[in-house]
């Protein structure tokens, strides 16, 4: 999706999957997701899904 200039959709999909299935996200993984979203200029797409509430320490 990113290669097709659909970075926002890709980040939306990742966030929605995590949220829908209530996957716990290790803090370091979340930081990696945030970093990737920033590089793709689509941080809002990730944060709008509420993934941060599923972050766990580990």
């Amino acid at each position: 999706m990113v290669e097709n200039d659909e970075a926002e959709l890709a980040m939306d999909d990742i966030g929605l999957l995590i949220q829908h299935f209530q996957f716990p996200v290790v803090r370091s993984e979340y930081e990696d997701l945030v970093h990737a979203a920033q590089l793709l200029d689509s941080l809002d797409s990730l944060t709008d899904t509420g993934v941060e509430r599923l972050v766990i320490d580990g």
Side-chain angles (χ1 to χ4, degrees):
M1 292 178 88
V2 172
E3 290 176 4
N4 293 325
D5 200 26
E6 298 175 354
E8 288 186 31
L9 288 175
M11 293 310 296
D12 280 342
D13 287 351
I14 290 170
L16 291 172
L17 282 170
I18 292 169
Q19 181 187 37
H20 178 76
F21 291 105
Q22 300 291 300
F23 291 128
V25 180
V26 177
R27 185 164 309 283
S28 63
E29 293 172 338
Y30 180 71
E31 290 170 1
D32 289 344
L33 284 172
V34 168
H35 181 69
Q38 289 171 333
L39 291 174
L40 297 169
D41 195 30
S42 58
L43 184 58
D44 289 344
S45 296
L46 179 65
T47 57
D48 288 350
T49 60
V51 171
E52 65 275 354
R53 66 184 176 79
L54 298 171
V55 174
I56 60 171
D57 290 319

